[in-house]
Amino acid sequence: SQKIEQNSEALNIQEGKTATLTCNYTNYSPAYLQWYRQDPGRGPVFLLLIRENEKEKRKERLKVTFDTTLKQSLFHITASQPADSATYLCASSKDSGYSTLTFGKGTMLLVSP
Amino acid sequence: NAGVMQNPRHLVRRRGQEARLRCSPVKGHSHVYWYRQLPEEGLKFMVYLQKENIIDESGMPKERFSAEFPKEGPSILRIQQVVRGDSAAYFCASSPPWQGASTDTQYFGPGTRLTVL
């Protein structure tokens, strides 16, 4: 069955540094991967989507890579700020178009001033 | 633009009662997904609906759970005879009519936190 894994340990970094979060998938080839941010008591908020034929996607301070050989996506936040502290979720879908998402458990990011 | 709306935000039920969770998708979105998030667990897909149709209910427990998305009105997730293990956050997401790769994103509501006593 489809499996998405994210590092369950919280990531603690200093303000201004680059945060890098990892998402690994097994047993399938996703059509795309998505990254969401979730704050306590809130619903996930979409950040970025990267397709299987794309190597890298950027949006402001965010960057996502997709390595189909390593079966891995990396999510980077450059010049991190305390306001970036949240749980970041990786999600994938087998197919493009209407398709259900398989989520990882998320990685909590804590950015210290 | 109003996002996905869910109500109630918090729901407390005693064992054996029924829980009804409502979801109004983003205006113009015709596809609704329900997910459940247990404490310390990731979001798990439950059911995917279009107007008046269930497209995929492979993540839905076989008993006590049902979902609908009528022609008019919100989508409803119904849990009959709730048990303590049903306590979780239930999230609804919606997506627009598919117009190519750019519309694969799902937009999530704030969730309903169900507590079963």
Side-chain angles (χ1 to χ4, degrees):
Chain A
S1 60
Q2 300 177 40
K3 201 171 179 184
I4 287 263
E5 290 182 336
Q6 295 183 255
N7 192 343
S8 59
E9 291 182 16
L11 178 63
N12 287 275
I13 64 168
Q14 283 245 291
E15 183 176 9
K17 301 289 186 187
T18 296
T20 299
L21 307 176
T22 304
C23 174
N24 295 293
Y25 59 91
T26 54
N27 299 332
Y28 70 112
S29 297
Y32 55 81
L33 291 166
Q34 300 188 29
W35 284 87
Y36 288 79
R37 169 184 172 141
Q38 187 173 26
D39 291 281
R42 312 286 289 268
V45 175
F46 171 75
L47 296 174
L48 278 171
L49 179 154
I50 186 165
R51 302 194 180 280
E52 58 181 337
N53 61 349
E54 297 174 320
K55 293 274 189 239
E56 183 179 296
K57 210 71 165 294
R58 290 175 184 263
K59 179 183 174 183
E60 298 173 353
R61 294 184 296 113
L62 309 180
K63 184 178 86 171
V64 173
T65 62
F66 194 169
D67 189 325
T68 54
T69 302
L70 294 178
K71 292 184 180 292
Q72 183 180 83
S73 174
L74 297 179
F75 176 79
H76 307 272
I77 306 176
T78 57
S80 59
Q81 304 165 2
D84 294 327
S85 298
T87 296
Y88 290 85
L89 308 175
C90 175
S92 76
S93 177
K94 284 190 304 181
D95 307 305
S96 190
Y98 296 114
S99 189
T100 61
L101 294 175
T102 299
F103 279 87
K105 290 186 180 181
T107 299
M108 183 182 292
L109 172 66
L110 299 169
V111 182
S112 307
Chain B
N1 276 337
V4 176
M5 298 173 67
Q6 291 187 249
N7 65 82
R9 294 292 308 276
H10 300 272
L11 182 61
V12 179
R13 285 286 178 267
R14 296 192 180 279
R15 280 180 297 170
Q17 291 185 319
E18 179 179 287
R20 277 185 184 240
L21 288 62
R22 284 176 290 277
C23 168
S24 296
V26 173
K27 189 176 179 181
H29 286 192
S30 52
H31 300 256
V32 164
Y33 309 79
W34 285 93
Y35 294 85
R36 175 164 67 175
Q37 189 171 39
L38 293 164
E40 309 303 323
E41 294 288 324
L43 282 157
K44 301 289 186 192
F45 164 74
M46 299 181 74
V47 62
Y48 160 35
L49 311 106
Q50 293 180 28
K51 286 283 187 182
E52 300 183 281
N53 286 303
I54 296 175
I55 306 301
D56 182 349
E57 56 182 347
S58 60
M60 197 90 110
K62 293 287 184 280
E63 297 176 348
R64 302 188 297 108
F65 285 72
S66 62
E68 63 176 8
F69 188 15
K71 189 176 179 182
E72 302 290 338
S75 175
I76 306 285
L77 179 67
R78 183 180 175 208
I79 311 173
Q80 295 179 291
Q81 299 176 324
V82 296
V83 301
R84 289 217 173 104
D86 296 333
S87 295
Y90 291 82
F91 291 96
C92 169
S94 72
S95 60
W98 201 71
Q99 296 174 347
S102 63
T103 50
D104 280 330
T105 303
Q106 294 181 17
Y107 298 84
F108 282 79
T112 293
R113 272 137 194 93
L114 172 65
T115 301
V116 180
L117 302 177

